[in-house]
Amino acid sequence: MQEMKVGPTSSAEYLLRRQQGQKMKLKEKFVEIYDMFLTGQDPAQGKDPEAFWDELFLIKVNEDYLASSLRQLSEDQLLAIKDGINSIFLHAVQTMRDPMPQRRLHAMQTLTVVLGEIFRKKFHNWSFDVIHLLTGLSHADLVFRTLLQELCTILDSEESLQMQVVALRLAIALTCGNDNVNKNSLNEYFMQKDMFPSLIKFFVKVDSIELAFEAMSLLGLLANYNKYETQNPYLTSLAALNDDVILQKMAMVIAHTCDKMRTSYTEVMDDDEQSTVSKLTSAFSYVTGMLWNPKSQDISVTDEAFARLPDGRVTVLLVFYDLIYTNKRFLRIFLNHSSSSTAGATKDNTTGLQLNQEVSETGLGAFLSFSSYLLQHNRTHRSSPYTHLCLIILLILVEDSASYPHLCNIPQSQDPTFANVANAASMAFGANAPISTGVIRLCRQRQPVLPKFKGPVPMAAALLDVILGFLKHNMKKKMQVDCFRIAIAIIFNMTARFKAFRVRLPYHWVEMWNTLQGLVKFLQANAKIFQNQPEARDLVAETIDLVNYFVTFGDMIMPDPASLYALYYEIVRSGIDPFTDLAKEFSISVQPPLPAPLPHHDLTSRNRLNLASSPVSSPPESVIGSPAPPGSVSVLGSPPPSPYHPNPSFRSASPSNSHHHQQQRVIILSLANINQVYTFFFSHLLAWRDANPTRSLGPDLVSTIIKDHYQDLTLVPNALDSFLSMRQNGTAGLGGGRNSGGYGNGAGSLSTHSPAGSSPINGLGPHPAWDGYTEVPGKVYFFRQLTRWIVSDFRSISRQNASSVALPFTSKAAS
C-alpha cells in the first residue's frame, strides 16, 4: 500500500480505507497496479515478470474502476500507453491457458472490460488502431486465434457455469466491438474459427432463459457478418440444423422472449379490458368526466416510456428471421411449439430451461402478441427497422403453405383436390399439429382499437388484426412505404390461400374494408409527398389490386354474404373516384378504360348519396356452410393477359434509375370490377330513390338493396388470380369462375396449377406484391442498417444481464 498519487480524477476514488485525520488514503492492490499501467508506468519493472502476472490475475478484478479509468482516457492518450495495453492484453490471453480456474476467470473479465471500453472510442482508422493498440500488427493473427480457440475450449469443457458465461460475454464483446458488424475486422477471426458447435453445446447445457437468449443472439449476429459477400459458416449451420431438441429449445427461447417483451409494454399501460384495475379506472373516468382524468396527466410520461421500447431483447428477432427463412424444420417445430402457462418457477423437461414467469400457450401466439405492440408503437428510428424485420418474418410465415393448418385449422375434405393439399400440409407438420385457436392478447393501447374477439379464434384472424393494427396506426407523411408493401402482400397472400384451401375465415371483415379504403384516401390526399418515393407506385397498385381481388373473389373467402355486402357498401359509399384519382396521381394506366358514367351518376347535385361510413347493421345471414342464396353470379369471358411487364428488370424502380421514366416498371390496373360494383348498385339505389321520393336511404336499407340485387351482379375474371396461382408452389390453383365455391349454386372445383418451377401464364412475371420473399440485393442496405441497432441493443442487454445476474464462482461443472 502507498499514498495515493495517481488514479481517476473525475470518478469516485476506489479506496480500502477513507482518510481519518492525518492517516493516508489506502487503495486496493488492483487499483494501485492499474493506476501505474494507465499513467504509462510499468508496475512489473524490477520484479519477476512471471510471478508478477501470476499474482495480478489472482487478484479480484475491480471492473467498475477499470472501466471508468479507461473511459476517461482519450484515443490519443490510449495510443500513448500502447505498450501497457499490449502487455495487459497479451498476458491475459496467455493466462486463459493457465491450469488455475481463478486466473482464467480474472483474465477473461479483464479482457472483456478492456475490449468494451476501447471499442467505445472513435479512432480515425478503427480496425488498424484497435489492433495496433491491443496486440500490435505483427502478433494479431496468433493472439486472436489463440483467444478464440481458448473460448471454444472453455465452452466445450465441463468448466463452471460462471467460467462459461464469462467466456460467452467475452465473445459478445469481441463481436459487438464496432456498431457496423461488417466493419469489425475482428469478426473475420470468428469466420476462420467456427464457434458454432461450442455455442450450441453451451446453449443446450444452460438452463437460464437469459443465457440461452444471449447464445442464440450471438449466433444470429455472427450469421449476418458479410453474408452477402462470402459464404457464412454460421448461417450455413443454422440452415442445416436438424436436431429437434435444439430447435425446440430455440422456439421456447423466442416465445418466452416475445412474451417478456410484450409484458414490458403492458407494464407501461395495462390494456387488458378484463383486468380489475382497468374496469375501475374506466368506471371512475366515466363518473368524473372532464373534471379529472388521471391518464391525461401522465400522457407525456407514457409516450416517453413507449419510445424506449422494445428493450434490448428484441435482438432475438434477427436469429428468428434467419431460422424461419432458411430452416423449414425450425418453422415446423416453432408452429408446433406449445408451453403450458406457469405461475411460478418451473423447469421444462424437454428443453431444460428455467421459466420464471407465465409464457404464452404457443410460440406463434407469443410472437403475434408482441408483434401487435411493436407494430402499433412504431414511433422512433430505432423501432422502425425492427418493425420492418417483424413484417418480413410474418410474410415468410404466410408464404409457406405448411403454416395454414395452424393458422386456419384446415379440416380434411372429401374433395380430392383439397384433400391432397391438406394431407401434404399435415405430413409436413405431423399428426400432432396443435389447434390454432386461442385467446391472444393483442395491443389495445392506441385508438381506434379493433373489435375484440369473444373467445378463441383462429391464428389467422389474430394475424390479420396485427396487420390491420399496423396499417391503421402508421399512416403518416413519413410512413415506411416498404413496410406497407409487405403488409399488403401479407394480406394478399393469406386471402389467396384462403381461396385455394376453401377457408372462410370468421373475421370482422368490415374493419378490413374500412382500413383499405382509408389507406386509398390517405395515399390520394398525400400523393404529392409520396410521388418521389420509388416504391410508392407499387404500393398504390398493390393496394388497389387487393381491393379488386376482394371484390372479384370475396364470395369464395367471406364466411357469410353479409361480409361481402359490407365491402360493396363501402365501394358504393366511397365511389370509384378515389381509385381513379389515385391511379392518375401516380401515372398508373387503367386498362381497359372505364366507360363514361351514365347521366344520372352525377354525384355533385341532388343525386349524391350521403351514406354513413359503415352499415349500422348487416342483413342477417347464416355463417360458414350456409346454403347459397338463390341465383348465381355469372362470369363471362376468359382471363385477359397479364397487365404486368415481362422484363424482371422493370419490376421495381430503384433509387438509381427512378429519375429515368423510360426505365420505370410499367404498371397497369384493371378497375373494371370495382367500377362494375359501384355502377351496378348505385343504379339500383338511384332507381329506388326515384321510385320512393318521400323516403330516405339509410344504411340498413342500402344493405338490403345490395343483398336483394347481388345475384344479378356480373363480374369479369381477374388475371391476377392466375399469377397468384402460379406463385403458390405445391398448392391448389386459384383458377375457376365465381361459381366455384362461391355463394352461387355452381359446384365447380379448384384446379391444380403447374408444377414448381414452371413459368407463369403467358411467360410473364408475377404480380409485384407476390414476388415471394427473397434476400435480393435491394435488401442489403436494410439489413446492414438493422445490424447496427442489433449490435447496440445486444451489447446493452448483455451488459445489463451481466450486472443483474451474479453467478457464484465454483470449480465444478454446472449440472
Side-chain angles (χ1 to χ4, degrees), residues 586-602:
F586 285 87
S587 303
I588 299 175
S589 176
V590 176
Q591 295 293 337
L594 296 179
L598 298 176
H600 65 274
H601 280 198
D602 178 18

Side-chain angles (χ1 to χ4, degrees), residues 64-349:
D64 291 339
Y65 157 78
L66 184 57
S68 64
S69 298
L70 288 169
R71 201 170 301 148
Q72 294 173 36
L73 299 177
S74 67
E75 291 80 356
D76 292 336
Q77 289 174 320
L78 281 173
L79 291 173
I81 58 171
K82 176 185 70 69
D83 292 341
I85 300 295
N86 269 190
S87 186
I88 294 171
F89 195 86
L90 293 173
H91 283 90
V93 172
Q94 184 178 356
T95 305
M96 288 178 64
R97 295 179 169 181
D98 194 280
M100 183 176 290
Q102 194 167 10
R103 285 199 183 102
R104 298 200 303 274
L105 181 72
H106 292 165
M108 289 190 293
Q109 289 175 334
T110 302
L111 287 172
T112 303
V113 174
V114 171
L115 287 171
E117 294 306 321
I118 288 178
F119 288 155
R120 288 175 183 262
K121 305 300 181 180
K122 305 296 182 183
F123 294 102
H124 295 296
N125 188 334
W126 194 88
S127 295
F128 176 84
D129 288 339
V130 166
I131 293 177
H132 180 62
L133 181 60
L134 293 175
T135 64
L137 299 178
S138 58
H139 300 99
D141 286 350
L142 176 62
V143 174
F144 283 108
R145 286 173 183 169
T146 302
L147 173 57
L148 292 188
Q149 179 59 55
E150 293 308 312
L151 289 178
C152 290
T153 301
I154 293 173
L155 292 173
D156 282 335
S157 66
E158 296 301 319
E159 293 277 5
S160 68
L161 176 60
Q162 185 185 28
M163 184 81 72
Q164 293 183 327
V165 170
V166 173
L168 173 68
R169 290 185 174 140
L170 175 54
I172 293 173
L174 278 167
T175 306
C176 298
N178 193 318
D179 287 343
N180 187 337
V181 67
N182 296 306
K183 289 189 176 180
N184 183 358
S185 57
L186 299 182
N187 285 335
E188 195 61 41
Y189 294 106
F190 284 94
M191 303 299 110
Q192 299 171 13
K193 175 58 182 176
D194 188 2
M195 289 187 65
F196 186 88
S198 303
L199 288 172
I200 286 294
K201 189 173 182 179
F202 173 81
F203 174 80
V204 171
K205 179 192 304 183
V206 73
D207 62 358
S208 164
I209 199 82
E210 288 79 14
L211 295 177
F213 154 79
E214 289 188 53
M216 269 188 71
S217 296
L218 177 58
L219 284 174
L221 200 54
L222 289 171
N224 281 268
Y225 172 72
N226 283 340
K227 66 178 180 180
Y228 297 107
E229 285 76 21
T230 59
Q231 184 175 5
N232 186 299
Y234 296 88
L235 188 59
T236 302
S237 298
L238 282 176
L241 190 61
N242 60 2
D243 189 313
D244 286 357
V245 174
I246 297 175
L247 295 176
Q248 174 69 21
K249 189 169 184 177
M250 288 181 168
M252 176 170 283
V253 170
I254 292 169
H256 186 80
T257 304
C258 288
D259 191 83
K260 292 179 70 176
M261 288 190 292
R262 190 278 313 274
T263 301
S264 63
Y265 283 94
T266 58
E267 287 175 349
V268 176
M269 178 188 295
D270 186 3
D271 57 344
D272 186 1
E273 290 184 345
Q274 302 303 318
S275 68
T276 304
V277 175
S278 178
K279 289 181 178 179
L280 291 176
T281 303
S282 177
F284 185 72
S285 299
Y286 176 79
V287 173
T288 56
M290 298 298 293
L291 295 179
W292 181 66
N293 187 349
K295 290 185 178 181
S296 63
Q297 298 179 2
D298 298 327
I299 187 169
S300 60
V301 177
T302 301
D303 288 344
E304 183 180 350
F306 280 133
R308 291 193 294 266
L309 298 176
D311 59 37
R313 289 170 293 197
V314 73
T315 56
V316 78
L317 290 182
L318 183 62
V319 67
F320 182 31
Y321 160 78
D322 285 323
L323 284 167
I324 205 170
Y325 180 50
T326 63
N327 193 320
K328 296 305 178 185
R329 192 177 187 90
F330 171 79
L331 173 61
R332 174 183 64 82
I333 289 178
F334 180 75
L335 292 171
N336 278 288
H337 171 70
S338 177
S339 298
S340 301
S341 297
T342 57
T346 59
K347 190 171 182 178
D348 186 271
N349 292 330

